[in-house]
Each structure stands twice: as C-alpha cells, then as structure tokens.
Amino acid sequence: MSILEKMSTADLMENLREELTCFICLDYFSSPEKLQEILNLLHKKKEAQAVLTHEKERMILCKEETKTFKQVVMSEYMKMHQFLKEEEQLQLQLLDKEERENLKKLWDNEVKLTQQVRHLSKMIGQIECTYQSSNLDSFEEVRGALERSESRLLQCAEATTTQLSQCQVTGMREMLRKFSTEITLDPATASAYLVLSQDLKSVRYGGSRQQLPNNPERFDQSATVLGAQIFTSGRHYWEVEVGNKTEWEVGICKDSVSRKGNLPKTPGDLLSLIGLKIGEDYSLWVSSPLKGQHVRESVHQVGVFLDYECGHITFYNVTDKSFIYSFPPTPFQDALRPIFSPCLPNEGTNTNPLTICSLNSHN
C-alpha cells in the first residue's frame, strides 16, 4: 500500500472519528439515544437561527414602513400648511379690497364733512360767547344756525352706510394685552371745563369753567386732555370705557399738537376715533382727515394699539372683539401721546365720564 493510500485511509478514519465523537462530552457515541439528542440540539439551533433571521427581516421591513409613513405624513402636513397660507392670503386680500372700497366711498364726502365741522366749530364758539353775554336773542339765532348746520352734516354722513366695525378677530384681546401700558391723565393739559378723578384714570365734563392757570400746555377751547405718557418707540395698548356716552373721542396725537383754539388739527397731528349718537343713529368717525361710517350698535369699550416703529395705529371694539379701523402705516418721527375727550354734555345726555381701564384685572 502506497503512502498516499495510507494517508487517505488515515484521513477517512479521522473524519469518521470526529463524526462519532460527541462535541459535548468528547466521547464516542455509545447509544442511538445520545446521537438523537445531539441531532435534536442541532435542529433547535437551526430553528433558532431561522427565527432570528425572520425577526431581522421583519425589523428591516418595519423600518421601511415607518420611513414611508413619515414621508406621507410630512407630505400631507406641507399640503395643509400651503393651503392655510393661501387661505390666509385670500382673506387678507378680501379685507384689503373691502377697506379700499369703503375708503373710496368715504373719500367723496370728506371735503363737505370737513367744511361742516369747521362751520360747527365756529357755531360752538359763537354759542359760548352768547352764553357769556347772556344775549338771548343772539343765542336763539346761533342755535338756529347750528341746527341747520347739523342737519346738513347728517345729510352728508348718510351718503355711506356700510359697516366700519365688522371684522371679528379671535384671540385679539389676549394678544394685544401683552403690550398693555399703564396710562394716566395729565392735569396740566386738561381743559378748565374738565374734571379729572384723583387716580387720573377718569375724565368728565364739569359744566363750569374752573379757575386754573392758562398755561401753554392746557387746551383752552376744546374739551380735551392728554395722557401723561409720551411715546417715542415700542408697542403700546390700552383700553377706554366709553359706556353709553353719546359723543366721545380717543386716540393719539403729537406731543406738539396745538392746545389753543378749536379749529381742526393739521392732518397727521391727530389720529383719533370718535363715537357719535344722534337719536337712534350711531356712527363712528376717524380723524384726521375726518371720515365716518354708520354702525349698527354703539361701542362701549375701545382698545387703542400703537406700534411706533411700524407707524401703525389701530382701534378695536373690546366688547365684541372686532376690528374697527387701522390708519394707513405712516413713519413716526415725533413724540406721541394718548388723547381723550368726553365732549360736551349735549343737554345732559352725555355727562358720563371716559375711564381708562385697568388691564391688570381679569375682566
């Protein structure tokens, strides 16, 4: 027998020995039962490996499905975001269009209304002079002229009847109150006919002239008082209770506004909202220039918002949370102050005060 044949035989014997040796006890198999046990262990091992392979494949599949789901959700989110953005732009365009249409309607009456207001101002001055001189005949003449002027003014105002206050804004007040500013009245600017409360939060028409110094800061013919705060920057918001008054005015003016005389202010010196009720007819006006609109219901509480850097002044109806009017943005360069007027008593129908609301309470 050759060496090669001997080596092949040795290799075969070694392979057979390995097959008949238990890899656990390292002894030759002595019975079929031990061999069967080893076979069972090998079978379980293969089953475990198969289960593990299946779990790995399932986890890979789950990861792929999760990735696909995330992609679908993100796609739907982007579609919804785009839809809301387009809807917002559409609503803003509609509001802008409606505002421009209303302004166009009001513009046709502006010249006539301004002339009538100037005429009424002259009539008021004449009435005051007549009252002081106690000339009853002259008083009756002036009153007649005033009534005729008032009638013409109302005829001009009836030319436009659409709503100035009509757009409700959800969450408006909560957002604006973040810019709440404590406002008080400045006694040095108050007309001698006005009476201020001790906390400088309320003002009413007193009915008689008080003995006060006629300092340059004081309004001498207009029933007006300024806020003590002076604004040269920032965002500020405050609210004014006008209650059931038949006439009132609140807003913003330049600190340099003229305090003497009763003539209309230069455009831009005064940006205010005026409420006026004659009989059952209620209207809101903005000044200046003077523009007005009839409204269905009277306003009882007004919110004023100033954004100095953006040149933005807006008025809100606090009661029904609606937008009233926003002046076109105009860059501010002068110091600004709040302005208030409870207006004349109007034969006893307008004696209630204007009151600056406290925004620290939870009303």
Side-chain angles (χ1 to χ4, degrees), residues 25-219:
C25 63
L26 302 180
D27 197 3
Y28 291 113
F29 291 123
S30 58
S31 64
E33 289 80 4
K34 288 186 178 182
L35 180 60
Q36 186 62 41
E37 289 178 1
I38 297 303
L39 293 176
N40 289 340
L41 288 175
L42 292 174
H43 181 69
K44 289 180 180 180
K45 181 179 179 182
K46 290 182 180 180
E47 288 183 346
Q49 290 176 341
V51 170
L52 182 59
T53 301
H54 175 72
E55 287 298 320
K56 288 182 179 179
E57 293 175 351
R58 190 175 69 84
M59 289 179 66
I60 293 174
L61 180 61
C62 287
K63 287 182 180 179
E64 293 295 329
E65 291 177 349
T66 301
K67 182 178 179 181
T68 303
F69 177 75
K70 288 182 178 179
Q71 291 174 344
V72 172
V73 171
M74 182 58 68
S75 176
E76 293 300 319
Y77 171 79
M78 295 302 297
K79 290 180 181 178
M80 180 61 69
H81 179 76
Q82 182 65 25
F83 170 77
L84 293 175
K85 184 176 181 180
E86 293 175 355
E87 185 67 19
E88 179 186 24
Q89 292 297 323
L90 176 61
Q91 294 299 322
L92 290 175
Q93 291 174 3
L94 292 175
L95 288 174
D96 182 66
K97 179 181 178 182
E98 188 171 359
E99 181 181 6
R100 282 188 277 106
E101 291 176 351
N102 286 336
L103 290 176
K104 185 177 182 302
K105 293 177 183 178
L106 294 172
W107 182 258
D108 297 335
N109 290 327
E110 182 176 342
V111 175
K112 292 182 180 180
L113 290 172
T114 303
Q115 292 174 346
Q116 293 300 323
V117 169
R118 289 177 178 174
H119 187 67
L120 287 173
S121 298
K122 293 180 181 179
M123 293 299 100
I124 291 172
Q126 294 178 21
I127 287 175
E128 292 176 348
C129 294
T130 302
Y131 176 78
Q132 293 175 0
S133 62
S134 300
N135 188 332
L136 296 180
D137 292 336
S138 298
F139 180 78
E140 292 298 329
E141 294 177 1
V142 174
R143 186 177 67 175
L146 179 60
E147 290 176 350
R148 290 192 297 273
S149 298
E150 181 181 42
S151 175
R152 290 196 297 270
L153 177 62
L154 291 178
Q155 290 175 0
C156 290
E158 289 172 357
T160 56
T161 58
T162 56
Q163 300 298 319
L164 186 66
S165 174
Q166 59 184 355
C167 180
Q168 290 191 344
V169 183
T170 303
M172 173 269 300
R173 193 182 185 212
E174 291 73 14
M175 177 185 65
L176 291 175
R177 289 185 66 169
K178 297 178 181 179
F179 307 105
S180 298
T181 302
E182 191 71 17
I183 303 295
T184 55
L185 303 174
D186 182 2
T189 66
S191 164
Y193 287 93
L194 298 182
V195 178
L196 309 185
S197 62
Q198 290 186 352
D199 63 357
L200 300 179
K201 286 287 190 176
S202 181
V203 56
R204 62 180 177 85
Y205 191 86
S208 61
R209 184 180 181 86
Q210 304 173 77
Q211 297 299 318
L212 298 174
N214 187 23
N215 51 292
E217 298 86 2
R218 191 179 306 281
F219 289 90

Side-chain angles (χ1 to χ4, degrees), residues 310-347:
C310 293
H312 185 70
I313 295 177
T314 304
F315 297 101
Y316 297 91
N317 184 339
V318 176
T319 305
D320 65 6
K321 300 179 176 62
S322 64
F323 166 84
I324 296 177
Y325 185 80
S326 180
F327 283 96
T330 303
F332 296 131
Q333 297 179 350
D334 300 89
L336 303 177
R337 298 178 70 170
I339 188 169
F340 308 87
S341 176
C343 298
L344 299 177
N346 194 17
E347 298 182 352

Side-chain angles (χ1 to χ4, degrees), residues 240 242 248-252 271-273 302 304 315 339-340 354:
V240 183
V242 301
W248 49 265
E249 182 173 12
V250 298
I252 291 287
L271 300 170
S272 64
L273 177 70
V302 176
V304 184
F315 297 101
I339 188 169
F340 308 87
L354 283 181

Side-chain angles (χ1 to χ4, degrees), residues 279-323:
E280 296 302 319
D281 183 58
Y282 194 87
S283 58
L284 291 175
W285 302 77
V286 290
S287 173
S288 59
L290 190 65
K291 301 175 183 179
Q293 204 83 110
H294 289 262
V295 293
R296 289 177 296 181
E297 297 181 359
S298 59
V299 176
H300 300 290
Q301 192 168 338
V302 176
V304 184
F305 176 66
L306 164 66
D307 188 331
Y308 192 96
E309 280 73 18
C310 293
H312 185 70
I313 295 177
T314 304
F315 297 101
Y316 297 91
N317 184 339
V318 176
T319 305
D320 65 6
K321 300 179 176 62
S322 64
F323 166 84

